Amino acid sequence: MDTGTAGPAGPAGAHEGPVWTGLPRGVLKMRRLLLVVWLVPLAAAVGVLLGLFAGPAWAAFAVLPLAVAAWGWRMLERNWRSWRYAERVDDLLISRGVLWREETVVPYGRMQLVEVTSGPVERHFGLAGVQLHTAAAATDARIPGLVPEEAERLRDRLTELGEARSAGL
């Protein structure tokens, strides 16, 4: 599976951190397709409407949605690379964000519900997400765009670990 970033950072033998797993490349493909599906027709509509009602010179403003699409194309890849998760002994780490990094730590013993969800667009691209629910709403977390087999494996593992850890509380 082609992923963003994986594995501990640093030279061999250095302090070992968590083993990170990135999201599959299908997430990037899906998000880029959605970007194009929304912004290219918008650019065409802006160009035609401004050309008809305001004059041909105003139709040049149709370039703005195309510029946003070009910028978004690159930003989506940066965002895709930023998403990763790591399974540790006592908790699950989820890291994301380009400008503002956010790392969520979800202890297995605090998990109340683990769901696998997949909307119509995700299903078309063969993707699913894992939604984690805890007692505190602030620590609910989501891992989007996993391959369905990995999402189900993760759900089963997290549920098993959650039950084992909560039994010991």
Side-chain angles (χ1 to χ4, degrees), residues 10-87:
H15 172 64
E16 296 223 8
V19 177
W20 293 100
T21 304
L23 299 181
R25 194 159 188 86
V27 175
L28 179 60
K29 291 177 183 177
M30 176 186 72
R31 291 178 178 171
R32 282 181 168 172
L33 176 68
L34 290 173
L35 179 77
V36 169
V37 162
W38 282 101
L39 290 179
V40 169
L42 178 65
V46 166
V48 168
L49 292 174
L50 286 176
L52 288 174
F53 296 112
W58 287 94
F61 278 104
V63 172
L64 290 176
L66 295 177
V68 169
W71 175 78
W73 191 268
R74 300 238 334 122
M75 292 302 106
L76 285 173
E77 182 168 0
R78 290 183 65 194
N79 180 268
W80 166 71
R81 288 189 186 281
S82 75
W83 274 89
R84 56 192 187 156
Y85 65 96
E87 298 173 62

Side-chain angles (χ1 to χ4, degrees), residues 60-140:
F61 278 104
V63 172
L64 290 176
L66 295 177
V68 169
W71 175 78
W73 191 268
R74 300 238 334 122
M75 292 302 106
L76 285 173
E77 182 168 0
R78 290 183 65 194
N79 180 268
W80 166 71
R81 288 189 186 281
S82 75
W83 274 89
R84 56 192 187 156
Y85 65 96
E87 298 173 62
R88 297 195 306 184
V89 175
D90 295 319
D91 50 34
L92 177 74
L93 299 176
I94 302 171
S95 179
R96 64 194 169 281
V98 177
L99 293 177
W100 286 272
R101 299 285 305 156
E102 186 174 329
E103 191 166 292
T104 305
V105 180
V106 184
Y108 297 134
R110 302 286 181 205
M111 290 183 202
Q112 292 184 333
L113 176 67
V114 182
E115 294 179 306
V116 174
T117 60
S118 184
V121 176
E122 287 177 312
R123 280 194 308 273
H124 177 75
F125 282 89
L127 300 171
V130 174
Q131 178 75 40
L132 309 164
H133 299 280
T134 63
T139 57
D140 285 2

